[in-house]
Structures are given as C-alpha cells and as structure tokens.
C-alpha cells in the first residue's frame, strides 16, 4: 500500500508540530487503513528524508508526499522536491502531491475559526485575512483574491489581505484601511495551518482590541483535503506506471 507522508515546514514553537500531529490524527480517523506519517522540512523532527527511509524500511514501495503548505511558494517549489531527492531512495516510488491551496475547504475552515471567535456577519466587523507573505507574487495574490471575494460577498464593512513578512500590506495598514471603511471592530482570520512565530506576530500587530481567530489546524475539512491531494497524486502515479 502507498504511504501518505505529510510534510510541514517546521517550527521551533512546539505548538506548531503538535497542531500538525493533531491534523494527521484526524486524517487517520477518516481513513484508518492508510499509513499516515508526519514529517518536517526544518526546525522540527522527524525530517522528510528520515520518514521516507523509514516507510521504505517498513516495506512500502511507494509513497505520496503531501506538502502541508497553503500556497506554491519557495518551500513547495524548491525545498520539498529537494528533500525528496536528498533521500536517495531509488527503490521507493515517491510522488509529490499539490499543496493544499487553493481550495474552498481552506476558506471554510478559516471562516469557521472566525465564527468560533465570535465574529458575526454584520457591518460592524472588518476582517483581515493574514498570511505569511512570500517573495513569490502568485502566493500572495491567492490570499488577496480570497480577501477581495470575502469583501464582495460578506456583510462586513470590508475584508483586507495582510502579510506577516516580505509582502505588503502589513497588518497595521490593513487594519487602518478597514477602520476607514467604517469597521468598528476588527477581526483577523488566519491563513496559517498552525501556531508559531508569524501568527504570533500577526496577533501582536493587529492590536489589543482585535479578535484573532485560531489557525486552521485539525479541521475536518482540512483533513479531507489532505486525503484528496493524496488520492489525486496516487492516481497520477498509478497512471504513469501503467
């Protein structure tokens, strides 16, 4: 059977790895027959190469690496393929799936986190959709397009994308824009999978009065999306070998 090897970025913050493992527990609960393993690119253990070698040692002859990344930035385009190549396992057929985003299930999870934080569908609210930020413009454009759609389709005073680093606008700028649009209260929706340095930075920059929703985390729809990416890649791998 093909193993699912999920790979997250990794963080020195232990809450990050704990959240990734909690998400993978939900994935396992949805498909108990599947061998689901977690790994990290950096800063956390186990590393992707070590997990691939362990899967091969346990008898797997194929694996799908599912990047637990929300966009196709540097980590997805360079780091993940590089880590797979460095593992040097010619007898293990490894397929890399698409990243998690874009997908409506991620938006649903982010909106559920907002609702859980007490954000209602009325005009007193302005919502910042906060992501990490990337030097890869299309990754930032994805977050911006979601915020723009929320602004059009919601009853909020407005919605603005903001980024914790690298890209503009930053969180204080987005908050100021929402205040100018008439928002009396500001909420921050998280475009992060797990807690860590950047989500904490976003919360601090949003100000004490802002309501900050939790990262996407072990949401059932996010877990379904992980399995969907696995299934897509596994089917593609079978088609190539047929």
């Amino acid at each position: 059977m093909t193993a699912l090897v999920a790979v997250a970025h990794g963080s020195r913050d232990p809450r990050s790895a704990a959240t990734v493992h909690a998400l993978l527990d939900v994935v396992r609960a949805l498909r108990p027959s599947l061998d689901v393993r977690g790994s990290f690119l950096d800063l956390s253990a186990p590393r992707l190469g070590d997990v691939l070698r362990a899967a091969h040692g346990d008898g797997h002859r194929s694996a799908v690496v599912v990047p637990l990344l929300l966009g196709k930035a540097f980590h997805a385009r360079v780091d993940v393929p590089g880590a797979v190549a460095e593992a040097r396992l010619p007898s293990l057929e490894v397929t890399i799936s698409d990243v998690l985003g874009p997908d409506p299930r991620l938006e649903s999870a982010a909106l559920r986190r907002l609702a859980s934080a007490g954000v209602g569908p009325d005009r007193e609210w302005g919502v910042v959709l906060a992501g990490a930020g990337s030097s890869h413009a299309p990754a930032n454009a994805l977050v911006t397009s979601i915020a723009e759609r929320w602004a059009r389709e919601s009853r909020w005073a407005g919605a603005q994308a903001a980024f914790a680093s690298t890209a503009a606008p930053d969180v204080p700028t987005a908050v100021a824009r929402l205040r100018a649009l008439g928002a009396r209260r500001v909420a921050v929706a998280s475009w992060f999978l797990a807690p860590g340095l950047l989500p904490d930075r976003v919360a601090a920059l949003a100000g004490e009065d802002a309501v900050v929703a939790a990262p996407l985390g072990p949401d059932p729809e996010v877990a379904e999306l992980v399995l969907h990416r696995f299934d897509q890649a596994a089917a593609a791998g079978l088609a190539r070998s047929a």
Side-chain angles (χ1 to χ4, degrees):
M1 182 179 291
T2 300
L4 188 164
V5 179
V7 59
H9 178 267
S11 171
R12 292 186 179 87
D13 188 328
R15 296 174 300 164
S16 178
T19 300
V20 169
H21 291 307
L23 171 61
L24 297 182
D25 284 342
V26 180
V27 174
R28 293 183 186 99
L30 290 174
R31 195 173 297 180
S33 62
L34 181 62
D35 186 354
V36 178
R37 306 187 183 209
S39 68
F40 300 90
L41 290 171
D42 197 10
L43 302 175
S44 303
R47 299 293 178 86
L48 175 56
D50 295 333
V51 173
L52 288 172
R53 283 186 284 271
H56 182 257
D58 290 340
H60 287 288
R61 293 296 174 263
S62 61
V64 170
V65 172
V66 180
L68 301 181
L69 304 169
L70 304 186
K72 294 181 181 178
F74 186 85
H75 298 307
R77 294 180 293 111
V78 177
D79 289 342
V80 173
V84 170
E86 287 175 8
R88 296 185 179 87
L89 291 167
S91 56
L92 179 68
E93 183 181 347
V94 179
T95 304
I96 302 173
S97 83
D98 285 340
V99 297
L100 299 184
D103 191 276
R105 282 166 282 206
L106 296 177
E107 293 184 51
S108 294
L111 290 169
R112 273 193 294 279
R113 293 288 185 259
L114 272 179
S116 296
V119 179
D122 50 72
R123 190 163 178 79
E124 73 170 345
W125 289 102
V127 173
V128 177
L129 178 61
S134 172
S135 58
H136 185 57
N140 303 323
L142 168 64
V143 181
T144 300
S145 68
I146 293 168
E148 288 174 346
R149 186 169 63 256
W150 286 5
R152 291 193 304 270
E153 297 177 357
S154 73
R155 298 178 185 174
W156 300 322
Q160 292 277 326
F163 302 96
S165 65
T166 308
D170 60 14
V171 174
T173 299
V175 170
R177 289 175 180 175
L178 291 169
R179 297 289 190 193
L181 290 171
R184 296 194 302 275
R185 304 183 69 185
V186 171
V188 179
S190 181
W191 201 247
F192 295 96
L193 189 67
L197 174 65
L198 293 183
D200 284 352
R201 181 184 299 171
V202 164
L205 290 171
E208 294 181 359
D209 294 337
V211 172
V212 181
L216 306 181
D219 183 271
E221 279 198 287
V222 177
E224 290 175 4
L225 178 56
V226 172
L227 288 170
H228 179 64
R229 294 291 186 246
F230 168 81
D231 290 337
Q232 286 179 316
L238 286 173
R240 284 194 301 269
S241 62

